[in-house]
Amino acid sequence: GGRDDPLSGIGQQGGRIHVSGGGLKATAGTAQSGHALTLLSVEIHVQSRTGRTGADNSLPMALSPDPARDPVRAVCYLHCRDPGGGGKIEVLSRGCIVLPVARGKGSSMGVPGVRVEEARDEAVLLRRTADVVRFRDPDVLVSWDTHGAGVGYLVRRGAELEKPVDLARLLGRTPGERR
């Protein structure tokens, strides 16, 4: 990534996740009995654009999400504790932050044990996601395809908003400091 890439300075090398200039620094390893490890898994839903296949535009198809164009519609998370030593993982909380399709009708997601929050716009959804991460302060933050389709997409999308949201900074352990 270049200097303007919001993911520059974030890398995963040899089992280590490293954010240059501070932030999360963790070494992958096996948790041992008595050394609990907290995890926060974050998954996103992006409403992709659609297009047509072939020269004659015959068949509709979904295009790959593009953070410059496609909004994040929902962020779901699961916060848990692994006690180590092969013990049972304890779910601490689970939730979903959504941009509602229709306003004023309340949530149609009545999933027991899942906190559902509605955000008024995408910037609020992204900042609220950073709040969730900061409040829960996990030892490990994970998502599917962290750089491309998970947390990385959130960081890139935040940088593309009219009023940018610096998630690379907000998701770190030292969000008040600027590089």
Side-chain angles (χ1 to χ4, degrees), residues 57-146:
N57 290 329
S58 58
L59 299 172
M61 63 178 270
L63 301 174
S64 294
D66 176 358
R69 301 169 74 174
D70 299 321
V72 175
R73 306 301 286 176
V75 174
C76 298
Y77 60 89
L78 174 71
H79 184 217
C80 60
R81 179 182 302 123
D82 181 347
K88 184 178 178 182
I89 292 177
E90 173 190 5
V91 173
L92 302 172
S93 65
R94 56 185 104 194
C96 192
I97 307 162
V98 300
L99 289 178
V101 176
R103 301 263 184 231
K105 295 186 176 183
S107 173
S108 61
M109 298 177 64
V111 182
V114 177
R115 177 187 166 113
V116 178
E117 300 177 53
E118 293 183 359
R120 73 174 178 269
D121 60 39
E122 192 178 11
V124 170
L125 182 146
L126 296 177
R127 282 194 297 276
R128 180 64 187 125
T129 299
D131 289 345
V132 166
V133 172
R134 194 168 36 257
F135 176 75
R136 284 163 178 74
D137 191 27
D139 297 312
V140 180
L141 177 62
V142 297
S143 70
W144 181 259
D145 186 12
T146 304

Side-chain angles (χ1 to χ4, degrees), residues 9 18-25 174 177-179:
H18 177 78
V19 180
S20 65
L24 173 68
K25 290 184 177 121
T174 56
E177 297 177 14
R178 295 199 181 264
R179 330 185 230 174

